Amino acid sequence: MPTMLYYPLVQPPQTAVHQALLYWDGIASLVPGDSDVQDAALSSELRDLQDRHLYHPITLEEEYRGLLRRATEELPALADALIEISGRQIPRDWILSYNSKWNDAEILNSLVDLGLARHVRNPTSFKSLAMPREVLTLLTATMAHEVARSSRNRAYTPYTDQQTPDQVALGCDPNTGVASWRVRLGQLLPAPSPATTTQQILEFREKYADERERLLCATQEMLVELCRNWEHPADVLRRMELELTSAREDYMDAAKSKRIAWTERSLYATVAVASAAAGALIAPDLGWVAGILGSVGFNVATREIRPLSKGQKEHPFSYLDLVDRHLT
């Protein structure tokens, strides 16, 4: 299974950590290159998971050096979006981002010149930039997808729990890209309640590794088939019905054996179709598809979206968890 690459924050929320431990090989996030800043930015729990090889901090150095610069040069839509934002009245919602997270002083200075960032010192005295949330969202979403595309050592799945970065990363250029399906996976992959501890998740992950892997493999196979057979999603769901339903039942039997409360979250996967040109996919009325798998009950959305073709070519599954705030 791939590793979840969480964005836009350095420190993933616990809900994302738990989901990664259950349904991915582990979790990663983009972190500052300065080791002292990393120590201040990452929790002791993430450090413990790093020691277990379940958390992977990613810096824009070594194999990713210059990635931000290449992204701004090769993706005209990103530069255009930043310039367009600079022409508007800048919102009051500014947030801090560590300078060493980006590893490119020239581009950071360009953001300052555009009025999209300003140098500040945060409460921990580390050098930081303050950026409008929209700008930080745009940069981190793009970088997460570029890291996933260019990584040679590990397969990453870009993942966010905020709707805005998902929309920005997957649709920042409406004139390019490929059509996609958005698949709801929340009912297929249940989440533990907020009161669950990370230790409980780790114990469940180890004890029920076979059930977990079977469900994940069936889910990945279903997404791959949707990518290949994008014109006939209902046929894909029918073919996968038995395996998905059986795998989920085995997994839920295991889940019920542990004293963990489970819930369903609005987890969506964006599946870029394998061969469609932009605009080629005309979404039919698929409202009836939601019931095909019965208790599994995930859904193929009735509308298409357009992800960045370059970011999606090799890693077609991006995840968005629309967090149910009242649960937390």
Side-chain angles (χ1 to χ4, degrees), residues 183-304:
V183 185
R184 192 180 70 199
L185 298 172
Q187 290 175 292
L188 184 63
L189 306 176
S193 70
T196 309
T197 67
T198 300
Q199 184 58 38
Q200 287 176 294
I201 298 297
L202 291 171
E203 291 172 358
F204 180 89
R205 174 189 171 104
E206 182 177 356
K207 185 173 182 179
Y208 297 106
D210 292 342
E211 290 85 352
R212 190 178 73 93
E213 184 172 339
R214 183 187 177 196
L215 179 59
L216 299 185
C217 287
T219 304
Q220 288 285 320
E221 183 180 351
M222 181 268 296
L223 295 175
V224 169
E225 286 300 309
L226 282 175
C227 187
R228 291 172 179 166
N229 299 295
W230 58 273
E231 292 179 295
H232 305 288
D235 292 343
V236 171
L237 300 184
R238 288 193 186 98
R239 287 198 301 271
M240 293 296 303
E241 178 178 4
L242 181 61
E243 176 59 22
L244 276 168
T245 302
S246 177
R248 185 180 187 276
E249 288 176 351
D250 288 349
Y251 185 85
M252 291 311 299
D253 286 343
K256 291 174 184 176
S257 69
K258 300 291 289 184
R259 294 189 175 183
I260 297 176
W262 298 82
T263 186
E264 295 171 357
R265 302 179 72 85
S266 299
L267 177 66
Y268 291 81
T270 300
V271 181
V273 302
S275 57
L281 180 58
I282 301 175
D285 180 7
L286 291 177
W288 55 273
V289 174
I292 286 180
L293 295 180
S295 62
V296 174
F298 63 87
N299 176 52
V300 175
T302 57
R303 68 182 181 89
E304 60 171 313

Side-chain angles (χ1 to χ4, degrees), residues 13-32:
Q14 192 172 55
T15 51
V17 173
H18 287 178
Q19 200 163 54
L21 294 176
L22 286 172
Y23 301 123
W24 277 263
D25 268 355
I27 188 168
S29 63
L30 299 175
V31 302

Side-chain angles (χ1 to χ4, degrees), residues 97-173:
S97 178
Y98 297 107
N99 283 16
S100 62
K101 180 177 179 179
W102 303 105
N103 196 33
D104 197 313
E106 184 175 340
I107 288 185
L108 295 184
N109 288 334
S110 296
L111 292 174
V112 173
D113 292 341
L114 286 170
L116 299 178
R118 55 176 178 251
H119 294 288
V120 298
R121 282 192 174 272
N122 66 26
T124 57
S125 297
F126 294 115
K127 291 183 179 180
S128 299
L129 284 180
M131 300 182 191
R133 183 177 298 275
E134 186 177 7
V135 174
L136 183 61
T137 285
L138 181 64
L139 291 176
T140 54
T142 303
M143 292 314 301
H145 284 75
E146 287 296 292
V147 167
R149 183 190 65 82
S150 62
S151 175
R152 295 182 176 87
N153 299 321
R154 186 180 297 273
Y156 290 108
T157 295
Y159 175 100
T160 183
D161 58 354
Q162 299 183 35
Q163 187 168 14
T164 301
D166 179 77
Q167 292 173 335
V168 168
L170 300 179
C172 81
D173 187 348

